[in-house]
Structures are given as C-alpha cells and as structure tokens.
C-alpha cells in the first residue's frame, strides 16, 4: 500500500482528496497535516466524513511527514508550499502540489502573476505539469508534479486537440469560463462581497485580464502549438457549488467543418488513451451536471458557418478533474497503478 | 387615463406587464385576454397578484378589444399575433407586440429564422423597433412597436455605443450570453430536458448558431454601424429565475483604451438621454443582482492590452428591460408620458 | 411631504427601506446615516440603487437627525439604538425601530433573550408593537414603534386569528419556520459556517430553543389569547435569498373543521381591515414565491382529521412584510396616510 | 459475482442504482430493462454514465430476466411491478422493490393510500420491510424486500430509537419534512406547477394529510412501539436537487433530558450495529449537505425544557439512503456480503 499524506487537509480540496484516497484500493492515508487545526478529528472539521475516517489532524515537521509517507499532496499556498516541498523531494517522497507553485516552467511567469518570489527555482527543471492527457509519460517518471488549475484543465482539454490537429487558428483565442463557488475556496467565500445573498441568483465576471490561470493556459497551449499562444480569458462566478463550464471561440483553419472538429477531438484523445475525456456530438450536450463529482471532462465543438467561428464547449468538476481527482490520477501514474484506479465507477 | 389591454395575459411576461400597469399613474387595465383561461380571475392564474387586481380574464374579439383599449400589448406567438394586430391597428389602437413578429424590417428574415410565413408584411413599413435608446423619436410617433428580444436588448445596449463611437471593429463580434429560465417561458420549462432536477446546479449552451435573436442583434448593430454586421451568438441556460448576463468580445480600433471605452459609452448614452442604461467603471461591477426586477441595463467594457481584445459586459432582467418594462417604456413614449413613468423607484 | 431619515442605511433592510421611500408619494428621504460608511454615495454601497438616488451617507448627531426629520427608521442593534432613540423622541420625532429594542413590554424579557441591559426602560410604556393587524389604532397614535421580527410576523399573523376565534388550543403550539439568508443580515452571512458553499444545497435548524423571536411570538399570542402562551419555535436556514415559510401545529378545539379554520381566519382579518393578509383556501397554496418582494402575508390552515392536528401555513418576505415594508406600513399609520400607500401595486 | 438486473433503469433512481452497482466488488450488471427506451445505450439516457458503462437497455420477459439474474431491483409502479415480481420470485430470483408495493403488511393499507388494488397479496407474508436498522436478520433471509420510502427512512430512523428507549410519548407525533425535487421523480417534475421557475426560490407544503408515506411511517413506528402509532406528516418541496431534512416533535416521557435523548439514540444504534446512522451531539449539526450523495442518515434530538417538547432532526439523501443506497445495503444483507460493501468510502 502506498502511504499518502496531505498537507493542508481541512479545506474543500482536502475533503475531496481524503474521499478519493478512502476508496482507493492501493493507498492508505498516512498524515493529515493542518497546522491551524492540529489535534482535531478530521471528521469534525469535515462533517460529511464522519464514520468514514477516524484520523486526527496533526502538526508535523517535514521530516516527520517524509518518514511517514510515500506520496504527499500539498494543498497550501506560496511560501507555505515552498517551505516543505524541497525537504520532501530530498527525502525521496513523491510530491503532487495542488497549488500554482510548480506549474510554470519559467519562474518569472509565476512571479509576475502570483506577485511573490519563487523560492524553489531549482526544482522547476524536474517538476512535471500534471495534465495526464498531455504529459502522461513524464508524469509516470516524475518526483514532483504541479497539479493544473481547474479553469486551465477545462480550457486546455478542449482547445489542445483542435490546435494539435491544426483545426483552429492559434491567435485570437477567447475563453469565457464560468465556475461554481467551491473553485474559489473558503477564503474567497468569506469576503463580504462573496456572501450567499450576493452570489445566489447572481452572475458576474471577475479578475478580467489578470486571472492567474491565464499564463497557465497559455503555457499548455503553446506547448501543443509549438509556438507562443496568447488567450483572452474571462472567468465568471455563477451560483453553483461545483462545476466549470468553458465556452471558447476560435477561427477555423480553411476547410474545417463541425464534423472535422469532432473527429479531430476524438482522434487526438484516442491516440492519447485518455480515459477521462468524453467527446460529445454537439455543444449543447456539454452540461455541468453530467460531470459533477466525476473525474470526466466533457468537450465538444461546432463551426458556425455564417460567421466562420468555432464554438468550443468544455465542462468538468472543479474539485475533481479540476483538483483532487486529477491529483489522484497523477498519483496513479507516478506509482505505476492503472490511471483510472479509484476514479472510475465512483463519484467524489 | 390610457386604457391598456393585454392579449396573452396569463404568462410570465403577462404577470410582469400587469404589475407594471398597476403601479402606473396614467394607465388603467382594460381587458386581460386569455383564450385558454377565459373566465378565471387573473389572480388565481397568477397568485402573486392576489389582492392587487380583481379582473377576470376574457375571450374577446378584435373589435371588442379595440373598443375597450387605447393601447394593446400582444404577448402571443406567430399566427395568433398576426390574427389580431391588423384589426387593432386599423381601429386606431396603438399596439406593442412582445413577440418577434414586428421586429424585423425584412419579412424574409423573420421567415428564415422563425420558420413560418409572415402574415402582416404590409404593416412592417410602419412598425418601429422598440429599443428606446436607439429609436426614441420614431417610437414616440409609432402606432405599432415590435418590442425587442431580451438577449437582443442586452447585447445591443452594450455594443451599440462602441460601434457608434468607432471604438471596436464590427467584424468578428462574439456574444456569449447567459439567461435565467424565466426568459424561456412556461412551454420551454415544461420540456423533459428542462426540469428542475436537470437545470438546478447545471449550465449548458443551447441553440448554438440558430437562436432567433441572432438576426435581431445583427439588424440593430447593422443600423448603428451603417453597414452589415454579423455576430456569433451563443446563449446558455443558467440556474436562475431571472436575469441575463452578456459577455461580448470585439477587437479594438487603433488607439483605444479602457478609459476611452467607458467614456464612449457614457457620451453615447448621455446624448441619447437614456435613463435606464448605467455605464459602470469596470466589467467586474456588472452583476445580474443589481438589475434584477428593475428596468436598468448595466454595461461596462475593458481592453485587455496583452491580447488586444475588448471585453464588454451587460446585464438586465429578461422580464423587465428585456420584456415588460421595456414595453411600458415604449408605451410611455408612444403616449407622450415621461419615459420613466412607473419604472423608476420601482421593481417589477 | 414627510421627511424620513434612516440610521443604519447601508444594510439589506436599509436598501429595502430606501426603495420603499423612493416610491412613496408622501415621503422624502432626509438623512441616510451610516457611521462606518459616511461620505459615500449610497448607490455605491447598494449598487441596485444606482440611478435611483444621489444621496451621500452621513455621520450625524442625534440633534442633526432630529432637526432634519419628521420620522426616523433606526436599523441598528442594542446600545447603538439606545443611544439615539431617547433624543429623537424628546425632539418630537417619530421613531420606528427595526431592531428588537422596543418590541417587549417587559424589559426583563429583552434582557434575558438579548443578553444585554435595556437602556431605555422609561420609553417602553409608550412604545407600541408595530404589527398593524393587531395594534392599528395604537400605532396611529404612537411616537415610538417597535417593528416586529420577521419570524414573529409570519407566525403571529397565522396563529392569532385561530386563537382569537377559539379554534385551537393555546398550549402545545409548535412553530417550525424556514428563512432565506437575507433574514440574517450581512454579519451572519460572513461567518465561516454560513458561506455560499455551506448554505447552497443545504438546510439545517439553528438556535433551537434559544432564538430571540420566541418570546416575541409568545408576547403577541398571549395578548390575543388573553393568557400566557408558550410556543416551541424551531427556525431553519434554507438556500433562498428571501422569504419565510412557517408551518405550525396546534390541537383543534372541539368541533373544529378545515372550513371553520379558514372562515375564522377570514372573519378575523375582515374585521381587522387587514389589507396585506391573504387567507388562501388550502395549505398547499401557501408558497414563498407568491409573497416574495411584496408586503403580503399568505396564510391558510387545515385540520388533519385522523390525528386531530391543525396544520397552519404562513409565508412572507422577511425583508418586506418582515421588516421594511411593515415599517412603511407603520409610518403610513403614524402619519395619517392610507395604510397601503407605497406598498400596493409595488414590489420592493 | 452476483448478477443484478434493474427493471425501470432509466430514471433518477435507476442512475443511482447503476452507479452503486458499478463500484460494487461482488456485483455485475446483467440486464437493464426499460420498455419505453429499449435498444438505447443507457449512457445516452443517463449522460453522467458515459464512459462508465456500455450496456444497452432491453425489453425482456420475466423469464428472460429471471434466467439472467440472481437479484432484481424493480423500480416501476403499481401494476407494472405486480406483473413481474411473482414470476421472478417463483424462479428463485431475489427481488428488491423500490416502489411501495411490498412495504405494507396489510394490503388494505396499500389499497387505501395508493388507490389501486394490490395484485400480489399472497407474496406479502414473506416480503420483508427493507429497513436494515430494524429488520436486519429478516432481510438476510428474505427473497422479497420492499425498499422503504425516502421520507419514511428519515423519520423512522430518527423516531424509532426514542420510542424503543421509552424517551418520548407515542401519541401526538408531528413530522415536518422537506425534500429536494429528485425525490419526486421525473413525472412530478414535469407538471406545470413544478417547473423550475415555480420551484426555484420557492417552498411550500404539499399532500398535507394524504401523503402515501404516512401509513408507512406509522407501520414502522407501531412495530417499534408494539402498539398503534399515528403521526401527523407534512411534506414540503424545497429548491434542492437532493436531500431530505425532517424536523419532528414529540412530548418527552418523565425525566427525559437532552443528554438522555442522545444517549438513547446512541445505545439503540450501537446495539443494532447500524453503520449508516450517525448520532450527532446537537440538532443544529444535522445538515443536508453532510449526507448528500452518501448512504448515511444523520440524527439528533434536543429537549426544549421551557415547553417540554422534544425536537428531533434527521437528514439523508433521498436517492441514496432513501432509495438506491438502501437497496444496495439490502442486497448486501440478502447475499451475505458485508452490509457496507460498495457503500462506505463512496458517494453516489
């Protein structure tokens, strides 16, 4: 059994990670680290887990975590993550970081968009971007994985095949995305302007032009396009607990049809052996409800002939394929398990 | 007092029209016509109106309606509308049609998108498109007004000023829009795929490339641009009762900045004397909750410099500024009242 | 015109009060007092009011408020209310207090349930409980009105007629009530356990046995029963913005039928000339949506014969009939206006 | 592997059953029977299951189902169920009926509340009521199980221990219950008065005094009390997809305290070895979100001393512990598996 610890266990992603691990046949939960809540039963912090797990959260040194664990999920931010990852890696523990710290090849990008210095630049060369649909082989060999952002996963899985198959132009890409509130975490939910009475029955754009997932989408799509790609990314809040819907727009390459778009998506993911991407026949079938609590990402595309615009739709659960489920998928690959273990036939 | 009748009084828009008229100081409700529910108290059909109005719905001939009314709202579809409007107009009654029948200058456009013959082509020359922010003087003189679609109002009020002020390119316009369920009416809500359990916690695109509001948006923007404009319009369902959020994308004209976009919007609506359009400083402030149940449309825009894309946001209540409120605004103009009478200081 | 000021203008109730006053033909807004937000445009604090009102919130002494106002709504809590009301009353200004400070005849009840000393005991003898359906004549003559709690209004309007008409036993009364989140105000919404992700798709009881509205319900029903009445009151949170649904249970007096319950309710409110209480034929028709944003309270009752239990249902909008609308109704009565002025034919 | 078929596979409960079976280590899905949708891929009918299962729904005779199956879930109503169950039982197949047909010991009760003749009276003697917390040993030996109603499970699991431990009086029991819309199934959701726009932001009571779950609750509690028990049961609709919250009221037996109530609940379920009932310390902790998508039922109780009323709270997911999860729990018992197999460490 692989011993797995979570640093930052008491948040929304933590709950989903614990649930994922509890049902995984080859993993056992080692330490649940939560400095601010140490000593409390995790099921008191996360009441849906009552009866499922008896563990108590702990405050533990990097060495203690390393000794107890084969794999560690780090679900903290910035300097708190930088403080623990080097020691874990040095001790030979595999690390999957849920935050943004190890997603960028170029630390300057992190520093520009996250507004803080990158404190582990020497680890970046060996860090692998944890999007299995693009980097499966690298992930299998990785010691340190940067787990992708939720919006990024949704947008990249929809656009990558169309770029790779040369079906859309790579300039002028527009990504309009809509996320439920769990995507933002508890801190965000606590701000005065994000209260229930302000969010329920409401919708609005936010972080227009400055959202941190922008450069991450661009890094992924540039990798696929083999040239620099820029995107216009506009995230919105919608009154949902869970789920992201992405509607993207691109100009078609000459001769493209709706059928070719769908075929291209299917060919791409068939070659990639991607068990969690489902290509649907029409954009109208891509609906948040069909992916909520699962590790699937549903995608489709359509050419609007009269305006020669390609409309691309993508949906996933921000806490599962957008966070904890994808993290478990990465763990499976890093540990040599079947990629779908603990993720198919289940919801989280 | 102006005597106002409603043909098709028992639907969601009917409720909102009745509420609007009840609080209007210069209007009195004449006949509430509903063939399928004739003889029933309107407050039994629309329980929120209990105690507000004692009227009973009637089945009435065109002559009877004409004799009893100075203004008639028609809230029916297709042939039912075509059957009554000519008689009303001939009798000298002013008509405001909430449906799509009298919105298009060219009947061929109606026939192409609505898939049925236009039966009142001879009335189209004198019909006025009821968007007061663009056609106030024509509405004042009109006998027959085609009240705009809800998505169309949202998109046009946001894009028209930027086109008129030469701030955006008119090709490649993309309009991504999100509507609550009341926009679709009861028939739509009754379909198996539109049940509560399928819509709540859900989002998806629909009618991609074929929604009837597409040519209506194009007609309005072409008028402003003084040349043909085409748009890519993608509507979505969101789990809200009311409200439309539109996020649109356009390429900027040379030298444009975010400040110039906002200034252009403000200058345009200041010249138009538009009391119900509010230009906000930032896109992030445009939120459905701020316009729900009011006749306001909130808009803003921002240039994303790194991709040279303009992001435009607009929100309104689909039943008010998108239907009944705008209809009352048109009535005010057609009857020589203050444009805001019965609409400011109120919610509907 | 009556000059009306609001102390505590920037909250959810403040917004509703401002909206109510803007549409009132005999009221003008004098001062909007908000110490923590003084100097800011009220429409920046409450964006739905943009375009409706230009006023700036102020920090003002009691004397300044008294000089500028004929009527003052106080929407603060505890000591902040006690600090201003005596000066306003002394200056001859009419006061309608939205909080709990002047609702109880016996200050000991306030002190027991609100856990703080009552600082204006000498004003209680002349304070009138602002439930117009029970105390209309006293309110007309009042200088100081304690505006009822939202749950209390819902429960009392449903149970009072059945007690007054001797249709139910007064012991063993059970009041199960469900409120949307706006009832709790912004402070409550900001607590970690009340975030969107914790409330949406959720329901739970709270403050079981200790909610402050308990003694207020008991005071009202004891007045009607002319003897002490105790109630079991269990409030719940539901994922709604607005609205309270109360389901109450009582044992019938001998010979009671469902018909007699409805008749009794109708007779009672007919005698009371209560324009905002609607007695419906069946419990199943009492639905939150029918009263939301209006000043109506809908009620009904039914005898379940096989268990000899009376089921009573009541619904209202917590911000309107449960707060701001009722406050305006009280103002109408105190100022000699028609009770329904600014409240019928409108939503808030 | 146990071969399991579902008759009536394409509804909301069917989806949940399939999901439950897919993750069960000892079950394999045999036939998915759906007469009206025969020949279609189940994952086209239930899109969340795309990628999880390739099966096609079939139209099959009772013999064909019997030959292919060791256990059959019947998720149809009335005569459709009566038409298949005898043949299955005769063929030696174990049957778990999700509907109300085999829940009552006395067919007259079924006929009175379901308004149709009972066509399989001879099977009732051997049918077992499928509430494992009360009838575990009988279920282990059963060939035919009537799976309990969702409201019934919620109410019975909360009240049974207090009755069994002699902590509450058994007369005058009041059960106020609130259910999300999935509890009603698609047919209900399709009625005009149950559309999204009528349910969202709404709450109301329904079927007051006549709901079919009333006699089922009474049968269960009478069994526990060893004497006839009647209950007042009032169900309500709330704008949720999933989940039931029950708030019940009872008078305490002499000397009862809140502590004794909790202790009694814990002792009762400890003796019953009930892995899916969680007794919480306070009523306020019982919240729908904690049980949604799990097979848990959370309960608690509190004595309100000043009125001498016991408040009891209970919550569960109507599709899981209230339907499909409980059905799988029954299958586990009937097949000799661990009661929690496929249900712990998972959500449905």
């Amino acid at each position: 059994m692989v011993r797995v610890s979570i640093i930052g266990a008491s948040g929304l992603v933590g709950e989903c990670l614990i649930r994922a691990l509890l049902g995984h046949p080859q993993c056992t939960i080692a330490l649940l680290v939560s400095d601010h809540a140490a000593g409390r039963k995790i099921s008191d912090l996360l009441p849906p887990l009552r009866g499922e797990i008896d563990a108590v959260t702990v405050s533990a040194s990097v060495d203690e975590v390393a000794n107890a664990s084969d794999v560690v999920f780090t679900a903290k931010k910035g300097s708190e993550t930088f403080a623990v990852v080097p020691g874990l890696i040095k001790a030979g523990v595999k690390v999957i970081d849920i935050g943004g710290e190890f997603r960028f090849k170029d630390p300057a990008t992190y520093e520009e968009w996250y507004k803080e210095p990158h404190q582990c630049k020497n680890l970046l060369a060996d860090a692998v971007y944890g999007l299995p649909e693009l980097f499966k082989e690298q992930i299998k060999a990785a010691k340190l994985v940067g787990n992708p952002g939720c919006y990024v996963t949704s947008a990249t899985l929809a656009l990558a095949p169309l770029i790779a198959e040369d079906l859309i132009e790579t300039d002028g890409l527009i990504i309009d995305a809509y996320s439920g509130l769990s995507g933002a975490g508890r801190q965000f939910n606590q701000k005065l302007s994000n209260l229930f009475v302000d969010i329920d029955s409401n919708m609005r754009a936010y972080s227009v032009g400055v959202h941190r997932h922008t450069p991450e989408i661009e890094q992924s799509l540039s990798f696929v396009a083999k040239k620099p790609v820029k995107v216009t990314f506009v995230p919105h809040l919608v009154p949902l607990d869970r789920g992201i819907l992405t509607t993207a727009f691109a100009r078609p390459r000459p001769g493209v049809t709706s059928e070719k778009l769908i075929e291209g998506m299917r060919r791409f993911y068939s070659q990639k052996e991607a068990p969690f991407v489902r290509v649907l026949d029409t954009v109208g079938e891509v609906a948040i409800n069909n992916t909520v609590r699962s590790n699937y990402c549903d995608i489709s595309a359509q050419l609007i002939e009269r305006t020669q615009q390609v409309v691309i739709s993508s949906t996933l659960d921000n806490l599962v394929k957008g966070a904890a489920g994808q993290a478990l998928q990465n763990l499976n690959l890093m540990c040599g398990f079947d990629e779908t273990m603990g993720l198919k036939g289940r919801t989280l």
Side-chain angles (χ1 to χ4, degrees), chain A residues 38-88:
Chain A
R40 297 190 57 190
K41 287 183 66 173
I42 190 68
S43 63
D44 285 342
L45 300 169
L46 304 169
L49 296 179
R50 284 181 184 129
E52 298 278 299
I53 179 172
D54 284 328
V56 170
T57 57
V58 298
S59 181
S61 70
V62 172
D63 280 355
E64 289 168 325
V65 177
N67 285 335
S69 317
D70 302 308
V71 181
V72 173
F73 294 117
T74 48
K76 307 290 285 183
K77 291 192 176 174
S79 56
E80 292 179 292
T81 302
F82 294 131
V84 297
V85 171
L88 294 170

Side-chain angles (χ1 to χ4, degrees), chain A residues 16 24 27 53 77 84 91 101 123 129 132-133 167 176 189 228 273 329 332:
Chain A
C16 210
H24 193 285
C27 289
I53 179 172
K77 291 192 176 174
V84 297
E101 293 73 19
L123 292 177
Y129 189 69
E133 289 75 12
L167 293 161
D176 208 32
N189 276 271
E273 294 176 8
Q329 192 178 351
N332 282 337

